[in-house]
Amino acid sequence: MRHFGHIPSATRAGLFLREPAAFTADSPARTLAVALGATLYSPATRPRLADDVRKQAARGVVSMVLCLEDSISDADVEAGEDNLVRQFADLADRAAGTVTDADTATDTDADLPLLFIRVRDPRQITDLVARLGETVRLLSGFVLPKFTEARGQAFLEALALAERTSGRRLFAMPVLESPELLHLETRAETLAGIASITDKYRDRVLALRLGVTDFCSAYGLRRSPDMTAYDVKIVANVIADVVNVLGRSDGTGFTVTGPVWEYFRPGERMFKPQLRRSPFLEGRAEDLRTALIEHDLDGLLREIELDRANGLLGKTCIHPTHVVPVHALSVVSHEEWSDAQDILRPEQGGGGVLRSAYTNKMNEVKPHRAWAERTLLRAELFGVAKEDVGFVDLLTAGLAG
C-alpha cells in the first residue's frame, strides 16, 4: 500500500517530485508509525464491515480501527466480537481470491489497510486472537483505551501473550484519555507512569493516541466546529504536556497522533470561515473551498496544521471525508524538503547557519536537525510535492481519486 495510491499514476506523477513510498503491514515500526496517517474508526458491529474496509482502502485509507469500546453499547460487545471474527474470515477469503464480487472488485482489492481492534479489557486481546485463528495475519494490533501505567500493564502483558501464541507481530496503540492525565494534581505522576510502562514495551508500542473527547467530557465541554482542540485551553495544556514527556525527538519519544475532529455535517456558523480564498482561486477550486466550508472542514484543516506545529502526526478520524484533508496536509512541500535536505547535508555536520534556498528564512543546522530528519521520514511516506503544487491541488486530486 502507499499514500495516494488510489489516484491514477499519471496524476501522481504530475503532483509529486518524489512519490510516496510503498509499505506493508510488515514494514518496520518506525515506518508504520509515520504511515498511519488518517486512522479511520468504525464500529465493530457494522454488518458489512469487510465491504467497508475494502471500500475505504480503495479511497486511500491505510489504517483503520474496528472499535469494540465507546462506539458501541455495552449490550453489543459480544455481538461485535462475533462479527469481527466473521468479517476477518470474509476479508481473508477475498484476499485469497475465493470470493468474487463484481460490484466491489477494484485494482486495490489485494491491499487492505493496517487493521487494529479497539478493545475494552485485556481478556479480549487473547480471546480474539485465538478466535481469529489463521486470519490474525490481517491484524496489525490493538488500541488500548484509557491507558495508564496500572491499566496498561495488563493490556500489554495480554498483547505479548497473544503475540507469542499467534506468531504474529502485534502492535499496541494506547489511548491517553484518563481523568488522571487531565487533572493537574495527578498529571505529572500519570505521565511518568505512562512513560515507564511504554518504554518497557517500546518494541510493541506503535503510536500514542489522544482521547480529547474524553478530556472535554471530564469538564462538560465540547468544542464547536469553529474551534480547534488548541482553542480549548485545558485540552491544549494536556496535549502540550503529553508531547513534552512522550513525544521527544531524543530517542525516548513516540509518535503522538492528532485528536479526533467530531464534525462532518453543516452547522450554524458563528465565525468567519478559516480558509483564505487566494489558494483556491489560484487553483481554480473555489467550489472546493465552498464545499469544505459548508461541511465545517475548514476547522479541520486548521486543526491539522496546529497538530503538526505542536508535534503530532496523523489523526484519529470518524468520517471518511476527513481522510483526504489529513493526507493532503501531510505531504511535504517542496520548500520543506529543500530546507531539510540542506540542513542534513554531510558537509554541514559541524553546524552553522544557512540561508534557505527560498531565501525567506534561516536554517540553523544543529537546532533544526531533528525537524529535518522527521520531515524527510514524512517525505518518504507521504511524498514531496512539486514546486508549483500546493495542498489545494493535492486535496482536489485525492477527492477525485
Side-chain angles (χ1 to χ4, degrees), residues 274-314:
Q274 302 178 68
L275 286 178
R276 290 189 302 112
R277 180 172 275 106
S278 53
F280 292 86
L281 292 177
E282 292 167 7
R284 299 180 181 178
E286 181 66 13
D287 289 346
L288 173 59
R289 177 180 181 272
T290 300
L292 291 170
I293 292 169
E294 287 178 348
H295 287 80
D296 289 327
L297 294 182
D298 54 323
L300 168 63
L301 293 171
R302 175 166 172 74
E303 186 166 284
I304 296 166
E305 285 287 274
L306 289 170
D307 284 341
R308 193 159 80 242
N310 284 277
L312 309 184
L313 184 63

Side-chain angles (χ1 to χ4, degrees), residues 4 28 199 349:
F4 295 93
D199 184 63

Side-chain angles (χ1 to χ4, degrees), residues 3-8 11-12 15-16 55-56 58-61 275 280 285-293 295 297-298 300-301 319-329 331 390-401:
H3 285 290
F4 295 93
H6 68 298
I7 68 176
T11 303
R12 285 202 309 273
L15 293 171
F16 290 99
K55 179 170 69 175
Q56 296 309 325
R59 293 177 175 178
V61 173
L275 286 178
F280 292 86
E286 181 66 13
D287 289 346
L288 173 59
R289 177 180 181 272
T290 300
L292 291 170
I293 292 169
H295 287 80
L297 294 182
D298 54 323
L300 168 63
L301 293 171
H319 197 271
T321 57
H322 299 171
V323 172
V324 172
V326 173
H327 291 168
L329 285 172
V331 174
F391 85 92
V392 173
D393 303 296
L394 294 161
L395 196 57
T396 302
L399 292 171

Side-chain angles (χ1 to χ4, degrees), residues 60 92 116 142 208 214 248 263 273 277 282 295 301 320 357 372 380:
F116 300 85
F142 291 89
L208 304 176
D214 281 56
R248 299 175 187 177
Y263 296 94
R277 180 172 275 106
E282 292 167 7
H295 287 80
L301 293 171
E380 180 183 345

Side-chain angles (χ1 to χ4, degrees), residues 54-258:
R54 291 161 61 82
K55 179 170 69 175
Q56 296 309 325
R59 293 177 175 178
V61 173
V62 304
S63 63
M64 289 186 69
V65 173
L66 314 177
C67 185
L68 289 166
E69 209 226 357
D70 287 346
S71 69
I72 66 174
S73 73
D74 297 345
D76 291 335
V77 174
E78 186 176 344
E81 293 173 346
D82 293 342
N83 189 53
L84 280 179
V85 174
R86 288 194 300 271
Q87 301 297 332
F88 267 74
D90 189 355
L91 286 170
D93 284 345
R94 294 180 188 224
T98 58
V99 174
T100 301
D101 184 345
D103 292 333
T104 59
T106 71
D107 291 339
T108 59
D109 272 356
D111 296 324
L112 294 179
L114 303 172
L115 296 176
F116 300 85
I117 297 173
R118 183 175 179 175
V119 292
R120 295 185 173 213
D121 61 69
R123 172 201 59 81
Q124 289 178 301
I125 293 176
T126 50
D127 181 61
L128 281 169
V129 166
R131 293 176 64 188
L132 287 173
E134 186 182 3
T135 67
V136 75
R137 71 181 188 275
L138 305 180
L139 182 66
S140 290
F142 291 89
V143 175
L144 314 179
K146 299 172 180 60
F147 192 89
T148 62
E149 183 178 21
R151 283 174 55 83
Q153 181 72 42
F155 275 117
L156 291 167
E157 286 177 354
L159 183 76
L161 176 59
E163 193 175 60
R164 289 194 300 271
T165 57
S166 67
R168 168 71 180 164
R169 181 182 68 169
L170 296 170
F171 288 114
M173 289 202 289
V175 185
L176 310 185
E177 56 187 345
S178 66
E180 299 98 314
L181 182 59
L182 181 62
H183 296 156
L184 185 61
E185 66 273 19
T186 53
R187 186 179 307 164
E189 181 182 358
T190 301
L191 278 171
I194 293 171
S196 176
I197 189 68
T198 51
D199 184 63
K200 180 180 177 182
Y201 289 88
R202 177 168 294 275
D203 291 344
R204 290 189 174 88
V205 176
L206 185 62
L208 304 176
R209 313 200 71 89
L210 290 166
V212 165
T213 301
D214 281 56
F215 289 160
C216 290
S217 172
Y219 288 88
L221 304 175
R222 186 174 193 180
R223 70 190 191 274
S224 75
D226 295 308
M227 302 281 183
T228 71
Y230 303 93
D231 294 312
V232 184
K233 296 306 180 186
I234 197 166
V235 170
N237 289 338
V238 181
I239 294 175
D241 288 345
V242 167
V243 174
N244 190 323
V245 176
L246 299 167
R248 299 175 187 177
S249 60
D250 60 1
T252 66
F254 297 89
T255 294
V256 183
T257 65

